[in-house]
Amino acid sequence: MGKGSGIKVIVSMIGLDSHTTGGEVVSMALRDAGFEVVYLGTKQTAEMVVNAAIQEDADVIGISSDASNYLQIEELLDLVRKNDLSDVLVVCSGNISMPQIEKLTAKGLAKAFSPESAGDEIVDYLASNTRSRHVASMGQAKCIV
Amino acid sequence: MVRATDYGYEIKAVYSPEDIPGFDYQKDLGDPGSFPYTRGNHNQGYRSRMWTQRMTAGLGSSSDANKVLKKYREMGQTGGMCVISDRVFSDCIDPDHPLGRREAGVLGWPGCSLLEFEELMEGIPLTGQSITLLGSSAPSSLRLAYVVALAEKRGINPQEIHGGVMESPFENYFGQTDVQPFDINLKLFLDASEYVLRNKIRMRACIISQHFQESGGNNAQALAIELSMLKELCGLLVNERGLDFDTVSQLPYELVSIGTRFFEEIAKVRALRRMWAKMAKEHFNAKKDKSCQLLIAVHTSGRTMTYQQPLNNIVRCAVQTLAGAIVGCTALDNATMDNAIAEPSPLAARMSLNTQHIIAAETGAADVVDPLAGSYFVECLTNKVEEEGYKILRTIDEMGGMIAAIKKGYIQQLLREEAAIKFRALDKKERLVVGVNHLVIPEEEEFAIPIQELHAGDSEAIAKRMAEWKKTRDMPAVTKTLRQLHADAGKGDRFNLMPSIIEAVKAYATVGEIMGVIRKARGLSYDPFNVIDCPYELQ
């Protein structure tokens, strides 16, 4: 049983960002640690990511970002709140400056990992900070438009 | 800590003549300017032509990027300009597209129409410096059309302009995906390439291994990828477009990534020149010496720029720039100290450009051609990386070439595995990076550097301007040229679309419209994201 056993993580890019390596490598590290990873890939909107989190009953949303799409991460955080998904941990990693991290944190971002974060650091953080698995059924999940 | 190259060759403590058995100066190196060009393409090196020292520009509106280009010229960047497109233009949608309006001008230049190129180039000459426009492959034909159209407006013969505006169609598979299907990218790349070669326009096509390496690929893999891309694309231009190889050989330039492992990077580029020279002669039967000389541009590695202690990146950038200078490049542009944090700030850009100026003017590295030739270590590394590169190249050849290898998923798998190896090597401290997994300092001791802030409103302003401006165009002309393009795009892959793209560009049709029409003629949706419909009656 890995540290991530029983924890489901959505990993996604957002907007037009197409630098896929970071998201793919982190997905691999999480899977190695026993997490269940749903990798959405590129060209996702905030709505698509949140819908996937609802449908998958995910515990974590992880956004891989390359120096550009903070506005869309902010939109994602707004949607997470609007859909009562406050127990879903939202984290991101990539080229994100401190002023942007502060803005995102104010909107509910749990953690921004720097680009060279160690796999163990990410694994340990998610394993320790993810909600206890809740018993919400798919029927209770809200669909957003 | 491992002492090995990134492709797994164990490095020894000492090198001697035994490490280069059978070394034959004429056969293996030759003088600079002589086959196999291991030592460089010019016998006088930088004394006959200094490398183009440039910084890549592109952020905010076209007018913003224009100001930056002018500033760079003041800072000594007069040999050539380099502008990178934003993701909106790279994905061939317009800033007023619902998905475009959030990212217009964010990570590059929002070049969706000739209007934007005119504003970008206001007060900047098209000649006397190289014009380099980067972005993804699909809009290569648009970038070329902008240059041709603006030259006509300024009364300049396009043959007097030089630079590079096309990009190879393979980057899509190197960790930087775009939304256009490969077959469209390839067709338009070949169209643009054929157009410049037949019309004697000195616009080069960028064959990029930089993305491959920045996404994790190792040096030997990079060589194999570079050679197989060149082989495939030059082969198509010769065999399918009926061009002579000695003409085609003047099209590509290779954009390589240079990291911090100094000697290995120098060996890689020397091996690349030698491998191309042999391929040109033996595979393509090159008749001219010039056809065996591969033009190489260097980008210092953004991947190696760390988030932690960003001032350390100035040192990394200097080491990489020195390596780039020593390999004998035609142009060099740098990553910046803030690369891992944000888009380049003016301070970071100046620092990087000055790094080049210092190396060019103060170190003496530009005085002597290929100064490390004959070093047992460097010659051994050159042989080793070439040997490993050839092994991978043979595998790709056996699969039927680069396109076949991509269709089989071989290249993608190679890159995925290598990216994972590199990640694990850092995790396990097999490779040390100061400030990241070695000699880490507490967060409170970090030195804050200026950050280039992004403003959400800027993208929306670019989008709104585009939406309003579109209405002011000569719509009958836009419609007429788009209909012609649509008709031509249905005439098969060998029918060159450049003339009709140029006409549409001159009528100020946008990238979203031009690519949308081409997509429709090929049975695809107008909008790659399926959000908007084609606003034109095309039949």
Side-chain angles (χ1 to χ4, degrees), chain A residues 15-21 25 28 32 42-43 66-68 70 72 75 95-97 101 114-116 118-119, chain B residues 87 91 102-103 106-107 175-177 179 215 305-308 339-341 420 423-424 427 436 451 453-454 529:
Chain A
L16 305 179
D17 187 2
S18 57
H19 295 77
T20 50
T21 308
V25 165
M28 177 205 67
D32 287 350
T42 59
K43 318 296 181 193
D66 178 48
S68 67
Y70 317 122
Q72 289 166 85
E75 285 174 20
N95 306 10
I96 308 173
S97 66
I101 292 173
S114 68
E116 297 92 357
Chain B
R87 289 196 184 116
D91 276 343
R102 291 156 168 168
E103 294 186 48
V106 168
L107 268 190
Q176 303 215 4
T177 54
V179 293
S215 298
M305 301 288 104
T306 65
Y307 188 87
Q308 297 82 354
N339 230 130
I341 302 166
F423 179 73
R424 287 185 181 126
D427 245 13
V436 175
I451 296 298
E453 290 258 25
L454 295 171
F529 295 98

Side-chain angles (χ1 to χ4, degrees), chain B residues 9 15 19-20 375-385:
Chain B
Y9 164 68
Y15 282 78
D19 294 299
I20 44 171
S375 148
Y376 304 126
F377 180 43
V378 170
E379 296 304 349
C380 177
L381 281 177
T382 305
N383 294 343
K384 289 288 175 197
V385 72

Side-chain angles (χ1 to χ4, degrees), chain B residues 385-396:
Chain B
V385 72
E386 180 184 47
E387 197 179 302
E388 286 303 310
Y390 271 134
K391 280 185 200 164
I392 303 163
L393 182 60
R394 270 195 295 277
T395 306
I396 296 171

